[in-house]
Amino acid sequence: MFNRLEAPGQDPILSLALAFRDDPRPDKIDLGIGVYRNSEGVTPIMTAVRKAAVELAQTQPSKSYVGLAGDEQFNQSITDLLLQGTAGHARSAAIQTPGASGALRMLADLIATARPEATVWISRPSYVNHQPVMEGAGLTVREYPYFDVSTKQVDESAMLEQISQLGPDDVLLLHGCCHNPTGADISMESWQRITEMAVKQGFLPFVDIAYQGFGDGLHEDGSGLRLLADAVPEMVIATSCSKNFGLYRERTGAAIVIGEDLAQAQKAKAHIQRLARGTYTMPPDHGAAIVAKILNEPALRAEWEQELNGMNGRINHLRAELVSQFRAATDSDRFDYFGQHRGMFSVTGLSAEQLQQLKDDFGIYVVAGGRVNVAGLSEQAIPRVVEGFLAVGA
Ligand code: LMR
């Protein structure tokens, strides 16, 4: 049977992580996979997460099954975190999923169940897993213009022009904040325009918010999403606790559906539960139990928010350092985009040849397409990154 298989293409992010691991050079620099690292180069377990995990280990009465929707207290808390204060909040239903990729797939399967002819529009470029997940569910994928590599900003007029053509058979996939891979976010004016168009034209907004808290703050990063949730009749959201709780390997995320009324949202949730049963049955509990505990215990929650703000502050400090050291080395402002972008990533516009040279000559690993994970940098590595970038002609 398996002799019929061709070798599959490699995932550009995960294969780079393996190549980095196997590189023996001690001064290698990993700007690839999206993980936060502290100044010691470690991806830390957040203090509130460790406390909650220790307490759960001592008090959790059982490891028996939880249920197809996962932890319902987690589902409620994560929905409140995103939708509190919006009209859509009371018409929403959520299911816990294995990470945001699990949520993306469950929501894509739901859309394919409801409207198999739907086209999902993703930004050009978008998170490398968006297209495979959507196509895996049998949906058609097309791209809308997004990033202008010459300005390193969003080409908002081209984006809005394409979105103005969408209709009821279309799904518009948006990044809630901290756009992956580019780091360039859309303005609040564009969120407003997209909201008006969604209401008028009837396309389904699908927001992937995997980095809440890594842009301008936990509440601020949900501003665009809340504009939509306040106005549109239907919407779906994929969210993740990988980054803002540092629970990467625990695969903790949620799929949220806003329906025209609560009964429709709950019906959609029942469909997702059936879809989950047909794939992984139910999500792992550990990460969701930790998050539910943190979000519902004020002292833990305050500690978590403070640490998250600290991580965010460190990323912005690294961005500022990149800007100032590039300015000093080039006497120009052409790297100022590092300071304008938000979240973990920036797209640099480096070519495949330049990336290869960076890897070969400097041991600097950057994802294909030129995405740099600023959150993975250390202060000491910045001068070498500047040197390497300039040496390859950035
Ligand atoms: C990334 O974009 O680097 C992360 O979200 C890891 C992943 O799942 O691809």
Side-chain angles (χ1 to χ4, degrees):
M1 179 180 285
F2 302 127
N3 59 4
R4 295 175 166 207
L5 292 175
E6 305 270 348
Q10 289 191 324
D11 180 277
I13 296 173
L14 301 179
S15 60
L16 191 81
L18 292 184
F20 180 81
R21 189 194 63 190
D22 295 340
D23 185 334
R25 287 174 284 183
D27 56 353
K28 60 189 176 177
I29 298 172
D30 182 10
L31 303 181
I33 194 162
V35 296
Y36 171 86
R37 294 193 188 91
N38 62 21
S39 50
E40 282 87 52
V42 174
T43 301
I45 297 177
M46 295 174 81
T47 309
V49 166
R50 193 183 288 285
K51 281 187 188 169
V54 167
E55 228 179 288
L56 280 169
Q58 284 159 353
T59 58
Q60 210 174 32
S62 172
K63 288 286 183 193
S64 180
Y65 294 116
V66 176
L68 291 174
D71 181 329
E72 292 287 16
Q73 191 190 27
F74 165 84
N75 291 336
Q76 189 58 55
S77 307
I78 216 78
T79 303
D80 295 348
L81 191 64
L82 287 165
L83 295 178
Q84 198 101 58
T86 67
H89 191 210
R91 312 190 317 271
S92 66
I95 169 171
Q96 185 201 325
T97 55
S101 286
L104 289 168
R105 180 56 191 257
M106 286 298 104
L107 291 169
D109 283 339
L110 176 72
I111 292 164
T113 306
R115 210 184 275 244
E117 67 280 16
T119 297
V120 181
W121 291 82
I122 65 174
S123 59
R124 181 171 57 242
S126 200
Y127 169 46
V128 293
N129 214 18
H130 276 158
Q131 184 166 353
V133 168
M134 297 301 144
E135 288 180 347
L139 296 167
T140 303
V141 175
R142 293 187 63 185
E143 291 180 323
Y144 57 89
Y146 189 80
F147 189 62
D148 180 343
V149 78
S150 63
T151 61
K152 308 283 193 299
Q153 304 300 331
V154 182
D155 184 346
E156 302 205 270
S157 60
M159 172 185 76
L160 293 172
E161 169 54 31
Q162 180 62 67
I163 294 172
S164 75
Q165 313 292 319
L166 306 188
D169 278 340
D170 294 306
V171 177
L172 178 63
L173 183 46
L174 297 158
H175 300 226
C177 63
C178 309
H179 185 269
N180 181 4
T182 67
D185 283 338
I186 58 180
S187 64
M188 284 314 289
E189 292 71 36
S190 284
W191 279 105
Q192 185 61 49
R193 282 289 298 125
I194 291 168
T195 301
E196 288 158 12
M197 288 193 275
V199 170
K200 189 154 156 249
Q201 297 160 221
F203 58 81
L204 179 74
F206 186 149
V207 179
D208 179 354
I209 181 152
Y211 297 87
Q212 190 186 10
F214 278 92
D216 293 318
L218 206 50
H219 186 73
E220 292 79 351
D221 289 350
S223 306
L225 179 153
R226 287 196 303 275
L227 263 188
L228 277 165
D230 216 22
V232 298
E234 293 182 321
M235 170 174 172
V236 295
I237 301 163
T239 186
S240 171
C241 303
S242 295
K243 325 281 168 170
N244 53 13
F245 285 85
L247 283 166
Y248 306 87
R249 66 177 64 167
E250 304 297 353
R251 311 309 301 137
T252 308
I256 304 172
V257 179
I258 295 176
E260 285 178 5
D261 55 35
L262 181 60
Q264 285 196 22
Q266 283 169 341
K267 191 159 56 164
K269 173 171 172 171
H271 270 279
I272 302 179
Q273 288 179 222
R274 182 187 59 78
L275 292 161
R277 181 61 168 150
T279 49
Y280 57 81
T281 289
M282 62 186 77
D285 176 62
H286 189 60
I290 289 171
V291 171
K293 194 168 176 54
I294 292 172
L295 291 180
N296 288 287
E297 290 187 18
L300 280 179
R301 185 174 178 138
E303 194 164 12
W304 166 67
E305 286 192 20
Q306 198 184 1
E307 192 166 354
L308 178 60
N309 285 338
M311 288 156 73
N312 191 16
R314 179 175 144 70
I315 297 173
N316 288 332
H317 162 72
L318 290 166
R319 289 190 172 283
E321 269 304 301
L322 281 167
V323 169
S324 91
Q325 293 196 29
F326 270 118
R327 275 192 175 207
T330 63
D331 204 18
S332 83
D333 60 5
R334 68 181 203 273
F335 293 94
D336 279 12
Y337 64 84
F338 278 116
Q340 290 147 5
H341 292 165
R342 283 290 168 272
M344 288 186 163
F345 309 121
S346 276
V347 158
T348 55
L350 292 183
S351 68
E353 294 72 37
Q354 288 172 314
L355 297 185
Q356 189 64 46
Q357 203 186 334
L358 263 184
K359 185 155 95 174
D360 294 345
D361 298 352
F362 293 87
I364 298 177
Y365 284 69
V366 175
V367 178
R371 186 192 82 173
V372 159
N373 176 28
V374 177
L377 259 179
S378 69
E379 283 82 352
Q380 307 87 283
I382 293 178
R384 244 165 53 79
V385 169
V386 171
E387 183 195 344
F389 269 49
L390 298 180
V392 304

